[in-house]
């Protein structure tokens, strides 16, 4: 039955309910081992396929390498944020990241704004240049027309004016005066331009700082709202707590199963070691008494004289959906001829056998008994038996496998016995390993 469960990786819920905590843990550990084995086989096949696929491809010379940084202890250097004294808190790091991103965003916006302004100024300068050229050409044409009209009518007046101009002594300007005046005008223009540049830079810097602060505050508010929503989400916190508790329970159960498996393995190793030492020193090791050998089943009548092995070869465990009538039919046809539930003498029904009763009824029968009391019953859901046991901590129910040619407790050493009576007598002196929870 265990092989079938491991092959299907499924166990019926009703069958699982019949198992004790010890049996459930061992079954869980076995199923986990089977999963790991299958995973390793699948990984091995994938690796073989990859190697085969890579062997046909031409190899490329790769110069990329990885070098680990080592610390003073010659171990791989690892840094955990927040453990060093100079490390900044998480909130401060987040604020710095947000501020840097806000500054970069403001700089990008300012660069785009300057680009747009430069394009507008270039268009405006082109328009002004065209207008100035048209104005100059018109002015030159008007001047030429006026000169031509007045040239004939002002001949006499021009002579008089020329005579007067010749009599006057014109003022002469030196080259130094002209250079000085041009230098003064140039310096004035440069000073005005520098002042304008300084003022524009100051204004641009102020706008950049204001925009950076605005973006920073917007992102900071958004982050605070998100953190507030996460803190106020009580359902999410409760779900997180439950998932962590479930993970912790699974880890503890897996650890418990590993410890139990290790304990059983160490017992087997110790027994083998002691036997080897005793053999080397010529001594003999005392072994625990073995269960009695199987006795041949007594024949009730000539018609029921059936070989036990032949009769039980076709017996198999059925689904948990079997009805009470099917259980009764199975017990009458397959178990009664084998005297299941009788004492070792085979003369009467054993006092510990109570037939087909439920789990609750078995606990009611053991309620007024002392710790250590037990009874054996036929399971209501499967083809098998259940050993109900009362301990100091409560009630324990052990499933007995009856699907083969022998009887044994699932998950508890699995020592096989030929009859139910032999199993009971053996465990009267042999302690059952269990853990109550």
């Amino acid at each position: 039955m265990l092989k079938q469960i491991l092959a299907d990786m499924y166990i019926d819920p009703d069958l699982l309910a019949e198992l004790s905590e010890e049996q459930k843990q061992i079954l869980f550990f076995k199923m986990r081992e089977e999963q790991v084995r299958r995973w390793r086989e699948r990984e091995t096949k994938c690796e073989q396929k990859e190697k085969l696929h890579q062997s046909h491809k031409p190899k490329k010379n790769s110069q990329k390498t990885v070098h680990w940084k080592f610390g003073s202890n010659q171990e791989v250097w690892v840094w955990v944020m927040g453990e060093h004294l100079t490390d900044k808190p998480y909130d401060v790091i987040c604020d710095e990241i947000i501020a840097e991103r806000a500054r970069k965003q403001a700089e990008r916006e300012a660069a785009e704004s300057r680009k747009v302004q430069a394009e507008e100024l270039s268009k405006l300068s082109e328009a002004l240049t065209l207008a100035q050229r048209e104005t100059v050409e018109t002015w030159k044409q008007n001047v030429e027309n006026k000169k031509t009209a007045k040239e004939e009518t002002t001949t006499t007046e021009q002579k008089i004016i020329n005579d007067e101009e010749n009599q006057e002594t014109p003022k002469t300007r030196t080259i130094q005066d002209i250079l000085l005046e041009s230098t003064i005008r140039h310096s004035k223009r440069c000073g005005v331009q520098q002042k304008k540049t300084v003022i524009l830079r100051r204004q641009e810097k102020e706008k950049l700082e204001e925009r950076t602060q605005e973006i920073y505050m917007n992102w900071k508010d958004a982050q605070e709202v998100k953190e507030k929503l996460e803190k106020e989400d009580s359902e999410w916190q409760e779900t997180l707590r439950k998932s962590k508790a479930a993970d912790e329970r699974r880890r503890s159960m897996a650890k418990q199963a590993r410890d139990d498996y290790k304990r059983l393995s160490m017992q087997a190793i110790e027994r083998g070691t002691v036997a080897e030492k005793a053999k080397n020193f010529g001594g003999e090791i005392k072994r625990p008494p073995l269960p009695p050998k199987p006795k041949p089943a007594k024949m009730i009548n000539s018609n029921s004289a059936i070989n036990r092995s032949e009769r039980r070869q076709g017996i198999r465990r059925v689904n948990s959906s079997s009805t009470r009538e099917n259980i009764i039919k199975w017990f009458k046809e397959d178990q009664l001829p084998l005297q299941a539930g009788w004492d070792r003498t085979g003369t009467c029904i054993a006092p510990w056998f109570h037939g087909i009763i439920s789990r609750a009824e078995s606990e009611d029968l053991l309620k007024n008994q002392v710790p250590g009391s037990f009874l054996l019953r036929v399971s209501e859901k499967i083809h098998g038996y259940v050993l109900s046991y009362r301990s100091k901590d409560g009630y324990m129910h052990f499933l007995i496998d009856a699907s083969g040619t022998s009887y044994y407790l699932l998950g508890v050493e699995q020592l096989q016995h030929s009859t139910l009576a032999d199993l009971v007598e053996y465990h009267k002196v042999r302690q059952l390993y269990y853990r109550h929870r």
Side-chain angles (χ1 to χ4, degrees):
M1 184 178 64
L2 181 60
K3 291 182 179 179
Q4 184 66 26
I5 292 174
L6 294 178
D8 299 338
M9 295 303 291
Y10 173 78
I11 182 171
D12 194 89
D14 296 328
L15 177 59
L16 184 64
E18 294 291 337
L19 298 177
S20 63
E21 290 295 327
E22 181 75 15
Q23 293 170 336
K24 289 178 181 178
Q25 292 171 7
I26 293 175
L27 180 61
F28 169 76
F29 185 74
K30 293 288 185 182
M31 294 178 74
R32 185 60 180 169
E33 278 187 341
E34 180 65 17
Q35 289 177 346
V36 173
R37 185 188 67 78
R38 293 182 183 181
W39 176 80
R40 286 177 178 173
E41 289 181 355
R42 187 165 55 252
E43 287 294 321
T44 304
K45 291 180 181 179
C46 292
E47 288 178 358
Q48 292 176 356
K49 289 182 180 179
E50 289 180 357
K51 289 180 180 180
L52 183 62
H53 184 65
Q54 290 177 357
S55 61
H56 296 292
K57 289 184 177 181
K59 295 183 178 180
K60 296 181 180 179
N61 295 326
S62 178
Q63 298 179 355
K64 294 182 180 179
T65 57
V66 177
H67 299 281
W68 296 100
K69 184 178 180 180
F70 294 94
S72 58
N73 56 355
Q74 299 302 321
E75 296 291 338
V76 177
W77 185 80
V78 180
W79 173 71
V80 181
M81 185 177 68
E83 289 188 353
H84 197 269
L85 297 176
T86 59
D87 290 346
K88 298 179 181 179
Y90 176 75
D91 297 336
V92 175
I93 295 174
C94 290
D95 291 341
E96 291 180 353
I97 293 172
I98 292 173
E100 181 66 19
R101 290 178 179 176
R103 184 184 63 79
K104 291 181 178 179
Q105 180 69 19
E107 288 179 353
R108 286 195 296 268
E109 292 180 358
E112 292 177 357
S113 178
R114 285 194 298 269
K115 186 177 179 181
V116 172
Q117 290 178 359
E119 291 177 355
E120 292 179 354
L121 288 174
S122 63
K123 292 179 181 179
L124 182 61
S125 62
E126 290 177 359
L128 290 175
T129 304
L130 293 173
Q132 287 177 356
R133 287 177 182 176
E134 293 177 356
T135 304
V136 169
E137 290 177 356
T138 305
W139 178 76
K140 286 181 178 180
Q141 190 175 2
N142 293 331
V143 170
E144 290 177 357
N145 293 332
K146 288 180 180 179
K147 286 181 179 180
T148 304
K150 292 181 179 179
E151 191 174 11
E152 295 178 355
T153 58
T154 59
T155 302
T156 306
E157 294 177 0
Q158 187 69 29
K159 290 179 179 181
I160 297 169
I161 292 170
N162 289 333
D163 294 336
E164 291 177 355
E165 287 179 357
N166 291 328
Q167 292 177 0
E168 292 178 359
T169 58
K171 296 180 179 179
T172 60
R173 296 176 62 190
T174 63
I175 297 174
Q176 289 80 6
D177 295 336
I178 296 171
L179 291 174
L180 182 60
E181 290 178 0
S182 63
T183 303
I184 293 171
R185 287 196 299 270
H186 180 69
S187 62
K188 287 182 179 179
R189 284 197 299 270
C190 291
V192 172
Q193 189 67 24
Q194 288 178 357
K195 288 181 181 179
K196 288 182 180 180
T197 305
V198 171
I199 294 171
L200 289 174
R201 287 181 180 177
R202 188 185 298 114
Q203 292 177 353
E204 185 177 354
K205 186 176 180 180
E206 291 176 357
K207 290 180 180 179
L208 181 63
E209 291 178 355
E210 291 177 359
R211 182 56 182 166
T212 303
Q213 186 67 19
E214 182 181 355
I215 296 172
Y216 171 77
M217 293 304 297
N218 292 334
W219 287 356
K220 186 68 175 176
D221 294 340
Q223 186 180 9
E224 290 178 354
V225 170
K226 183 179 178 181
E227 292 177 355
K228 185 177 180 181
L229 291 175
E230 289 179 354
K231 290 181 180 179
E232 291 178 354
D233 193 357
S234 58
E235 294 181 358
W236 179 82
Q237 293 290 341
E238 183 66 18
T239 304
L240 182 62
R241 186 188 63 79
K242 289 181 179 179
S243 64
K244 289 182 179 179
D247 292 340
E248 186 65 27
R249 285 196 299 270
R250 283 193 292 270
R251 283 194 293 270
S252 63
M253 291 178 66
K255 183 178 181 299
Q256 201 170 26
R258 288 195 298 270
D259 293 342
D260 294 339
Y261 180 77
K262 185 178 180 181
R263 176 177 56 79
L264 295 175
S265 301
M266 292 301 296
Q267 289 179 359
I269 293 171
E270 288 175 0
R271 286 197 293 268
T273 305
V274 172
E276 185 178 356
K277 289 182 178 179
K279 184 177 179 180
N280 294 334
F281 286 98
E284 295 182 356
I285 182 171
K286 294 183 179 181
R287 300 180 180 275
L290 296 173
K293 295 182 179 180
K295 294 181 179 180
K298 294 183 179 181
M299 293 183 293
I300 299 177
N301 50 46
S302 59
N303 296 328
S304 63
I306 304 173
N307 189 359
R308 179 185 183 88
S309 61
E310 294 177 355
R311 202 178 157 77
R312 301 198 56 179
Q313 282 178 356
I315 298 175
R316 63 181 180 86
R317 186 168 300 279
V318 298
N319 295 331
S320 58
S321 59
S322 301
T323 60
R324 187 181 181 89
E325 289 77 11
N326 291 334
I327 298 295
I328 295 173
K329 182 180 179 182
W330 166 77
F331 181 75
K332 287 181 178 180
E333 294 180 356
D334 297 323
Q335 298 297 308
L336 276 182
L338 303 176
Q339 293 187 338
W342 292 51
D343 59 3
R344 302 185 70 177
T345 61
T347 58
C348 62
I349 297 176
W352 38 260
F353 186 71
H354 288 259
I356 304 176
I357 61 175
S358 64
R359 184 189 185 110
E361 290 174 348
S362 65
E363 292 180 356
D364 290 338
L365 292 174
L366 295 173
K367 181 170 60 176
N368 298 326
Q369 303 297 326
V370 297
S373 302
F374 70 95
L375 60 87
L376 205 70
R377 58 187 174 90
V378 180
S379 176
E380 285 187 312
K381 300 177 180 178
I382 62 171
H383 292 175
Y385 300 91
V386 179
L387 176 63
S388 299
Y389 175 76
R390 182 183 179 185
S391 63
K392 294 180 181 180
D393 301 322
Y395 302 99
M396 305 295 296
H397 301 274
F398 298 92
L399 189 64
I400 299 175
D401 191 355
S403 61
T405 58
S406 59
Y407 301 90
Y408 63 92
L409 293 174
L410 285 176
V412 186
E413 296 184 0
Q414 297 185 351
L415 186 63
Q416 299 182 0
H417 303 270
S418 59
T419 62
L420 288 175
D422 293 341
L423 185 146
V424 171
E425 293 298 327
Y426 175 75
H427 284 290
K428 280 183 179 180
V429 296
R430 182 78 177 209
Q431 182 181 2
L432 286 172
Y433 293 102
Y434 68 92
R435 183 177 283 101
H436 181 76
R437 180 176 293 180

